[in-house]
Amino acid sequence: SVEGGCFNMGSTKGALLEGPVHEVCLSSFQIEKHEVTQKSFQTVMKTNPSRFVSSDLPVESVTWQEANKYCKKIGKRLPTEAEWEFAARGGLKNQTFPWGSEPVEKGAAKANIWQGTFPNTNTGTDGYMRIAPVAKYAPNAYGLYDMSGNVWEWCADWYNETYYKSLSDNITKNPKGPETSYDSNEPYSQKRVTRGGSFLCHNSYCSGYRNSMRMKTTPDTGSIHTGFRAVMDAQ
């Protein structure tokens, strides 16, 4: 269970995608310790969309609609983008990564990302060339695994590039995301937010494994590096 609180959401690093930084306050909620596994998904949904099939790997190639349906079936829901980022930060104030500020390349392996030179050479020094089983790296201070890397994680929210700006002058309580999606790069595509980066993220072009980094994807898209985890309101 994650105790509610207030935090600075977003970052000055990511320009349009991640700014402006704005204050958000959340109620307490429960979030799963790791990404939903293929085994769990198969048990509930009687199907497994994944490309790399193994029961202890996170489910991947899963669309937003499928993830949403799974959550409903087990009486949970997808996290809001604010809940996801608050959980990833693990109570650390204004840090870049779930573990703090130390660069991902330094010290012990912290997350499953692309190491080496993208896209030619992945050295695999984090132990995995592709997707990793859940919970193979140290958790953050909230006991949550793989908030950085492995697979991107679907959030409940629509993506709208002007949304953060609309919140920047106020303290927002339990934001649920914008009512409509808008991405000027693809104005006719409706998109949902994904968070956390994946095993294909490298510092040179994505740094998707930073707490504040956001991506946006059409909800009918399933890719080999996208999964999810479920949340529920605190009981």
Side-chain angles (χ1 to χ4, degrees):
S1 185
V2 173
E3 195 178 323
C6 301
F7 74 114
N8 292 327
M9 186 168 175
S11 155
T12 52
K13 285 184 180 141
L16 185 65
L17 269 179
E18 295 172 51
V21 174
H22 51 288
E23 192 171 352
V24 168
C25 294
L26 296 174
S27 304
S28 300
F29 60 97
Q30 292 175 331
I31 184 165
E32 291 177 341
K33 281 187 171 172
H34 55 68
E35 295 148 345
V36 173
T37 62
Q38 294 179 25
K39 189 179 179 184
S40 298
F41 196 85
Q42 174 82 45
T43 302
V44 173
M45 303 297 281
K46 310 293 183 252
T47 180
N48 180 5
S50 307
R51 280 272 303 283
F52 306 124
V53 177
S54 170
S55 62
D56 58 349
L57 292 179
V59 66
E60 34 81 3
S61 303
V62 62
T63 67
W64 185 93
Q65 286 107 327
E66 289 167 332
N68 192 46
K69 211 173 272 183
Y70 170 93
C71 291
K72 284 187 169 160
K73 274 199 162 183
I74 63 166
K76 296 186 179 182
R77 57 181 172 81
L78 286 169
T80 66
E81 189 178 12
E83 285 171 334
W84 194 97
E85 186 173 321
F86 185 76
R89 289 180 179 278
L92 299 177
K93 288 220 181 307
N94 305 326
Q95 294 293 324
T96 307
F97 307 107
W99 56 83
S101 59
E102 186 175 69
V104 73
E105 303 82 10
K106 290 244 175 86
K110 300 174 179 67
N112 183 19
I113 59 166
W114 187 283
Q115 293 163 312
T117 319
F118 192 87
N120 310 319
T121 319
N122 184 359
T123 59
T125 49
D126 55 28
Y128 298 92
M129 297 297 281
R130 295 193 303 204
I131 198 165
V134 297
K136 286 294 178 189
Y137 303 89
N140 72 2
Y142 287 162
L144 307 176
Y145 295 91
D146 300 311
M147 297 302 281
S148 244
N150 216 18
V151 290
W152 286 95
E153 299 182 16
W154 286 113
C155 290
D157 307 32
W158 288 112
Y159 170 78
N160 189 313
E161 64 188 41
T162 63
Y163 181 59
Y164 275 19
K165 202 164 192 294
S166 73
L167 304 181
S168 59
D169 296 332
N170 304 302
I171 297 174
T172 312
K173 187 152 173 52
N174 294 324
K176 298 283 189 278
E179 291 187 11
T180 53
S181 170
Y182 183 68
D183 176 3
S184 54
N185 295 328
E186 296 185 88
Y188 300 108
S189 287
Q190 302 286 295
K191 295 181 181 180
R192 298 280 185 177
V193 173
T194 57
R195 286 300 205 113
S198 80
F199 68 93
L200 289 171
C201 280
H202 185 266
N203 202 27
S204 64
Y205 74 99
C206 152
S207 279
Y209 43 82
R210 290 183 292 106
N211 291 327
S212 55
M213 177 61 177
R214 324 163 68 204
M215 285 293 279
K216 65 275 188 197
T217 311
T218 51
D220 57 355
T221 302
S223 90
I224 58 165
H225 59 126
T226 305
F228 69 103
R229 75 182 76 209
V231 304
M232 61 194 292
D233 297 342
Q235 299 301 296

